[in-house]
Amino acid sequence: VAWFLWHGLYWAKMPTVTRKIQIALDWAVNYLFRPDIVEITTLTTQRRGRVREEDFLRAAAEVPELRELPVRDLMSRTLVTLEPEVSLSEAIRRCRGERTQVLPVVDGEGRMVGICTRSDLYRAVRQLRPLATPVRELMSRPVVTLREDATFAEAVQTAQDNDVRRLVIVPDGEPDRPVGMLSPFDALAWLTRDQTPEEIPERPGVL
């Protein structure tokens, strides 16, 4: 009730109808695309705060064992993909249902023809694109990919050079066939692979 009262008062104070519609739309979009919040443990400090994904990747790349590890040993092999003719509404449903931010777009033969990110869907909703709009009109190209035999250090450099936080992994010599996805959470899983809940102090942060 308090949430509705506060937001109702805030909305009522907006000076124009256009601004009110924009605010209401922003609230709807934020509901559809909630950020992924993951608790991580700070083992070397008592300080708490927010850790940006790019900062975490940069720090993780300095870990010697992880730095030279092939991304095939880190990546997530479960891919959620879209077909080019899938509608905007179905893409949003899959994005929310599978809790993923990046969905490769593949044709009938499994070849990647583009990528649809949560940002692409967010932008389409804000632009009031029809829910029946096919993702081939929304997807981004070209796709930033990385060979599965590349090292984690190379992955971090590629992500920084292209200003992305998730990379589509492909086999050597087959740049249009996605076989996995690499994200900061994969590095986090590797770094905490030997820890049990009993070993992790209760000092959560936010990633």
Side-chain angles (χ1 to χ4, degrees):
V1 174
W3 187 94
F4 285 105
L5 285 175
W6 187 90
H7 281 76
L9 290 172
Y10 177 80
W11 183 80
K13 290 180 179 180
M14 292 299 103
T16 64
V17 174
T18 301
R19 181 57 179 159
K20 289 181 178 180
I21 293 175
Q22 183 181 13
I23 291 295
L25 182 60
D26 285 342
W27 289 343
V29 168
N30 288 334
Y31 173 78
L32 287 173
F33 302 100
R34 294 178 180 176
D36 293 328
I37 302 297
V38 175
E39 288 189 351
I40 62 174
T41 301
T42 305
L43 298 177
T44 59
T45 178
Q46 294 285 346
R47 296 175 60 187
R48 297 181 180 182
R50 294 182 180 272
V51 180
R52 297 187 306 169
E53 289 182 335
E54 52 266 36
D55 293 334
F56 171 76
L57 281 176
R58 205 162 23 242
E62 298 302 317
V63 178
E65 299 86 350
L66 180 57
R67 181 179 177 81
E68 300 303 322
L69 199 66
V71 295
R72 69 163 68 90
D73 296 336
L74 290 169
M75 68 182 188
S76 300
R77 297 182 181 274
T78 301
L79 278 177
V80 181
T81 61
L82 298 172
E83 299 76 41
E85 300 305 319
V86 164
S87 67
L88 170 59
S89 61
E90 174 62 16
I92 292 174
R93 188 191 69 80
R94 294 191 197 179
C95 182
R96 283 174 52 82
E98 300 293 339
R99 296 186 61 82
T100 183
Q101 295 191 19
V102 178
L103 301 101
V105 182
V106 299
D107 62 17
E109 298 179 358
R111 293 177 302 189
M112 187 164 52
V113 295
I115 196 162
C116 195
T117 68
R118 189 156 64 174
S119 296
D120 294 325
L121 301 179
Y122 183 97
R123 189 179 309 110
V125 172
R126 284 185 58 91
Q127 293 173 350
L128 299 180
R129 299 289 293 271
L131 291 177
T133 303
V135 296
R136 59 178 165 76
E137 297 181 15
L138 309 172
M139 65 186 186
S140 300
R141 286 178 291 187
V143 183
V144 179
T145 62
L146 188 70
R147 306 180 327 276
E148 60 181 343
D149 60 349
T151 64
F152 179 71
E154 291 178 276
V156 172
Q157 188 62 54
T158 300
Q160 292 175 347
D161 291 345
N162 293 276
D163 194 25
V164 297
R165 290 174 291 182
R166 285 157 179 78
L167 294 170
V168 179
I169 308 303
V170 297
D172 189 22
E174 297 183 76
D176 60 354
R177 187 168 72 84
V179 295
M181 187 77 65
L182 186 70
S183 77
F185 302 113
D186 297 314
L188 178 61
W190 188 89
L191 289 169
T192 59
R193 67 196 185 284
D194 295 328
Q195 290 181 312
T196 63
E198 293 75 15
E199 295 174 331
I200 299 177
E202 294 185 1
R203 298 199 303 270
V206 177
L207 174 61

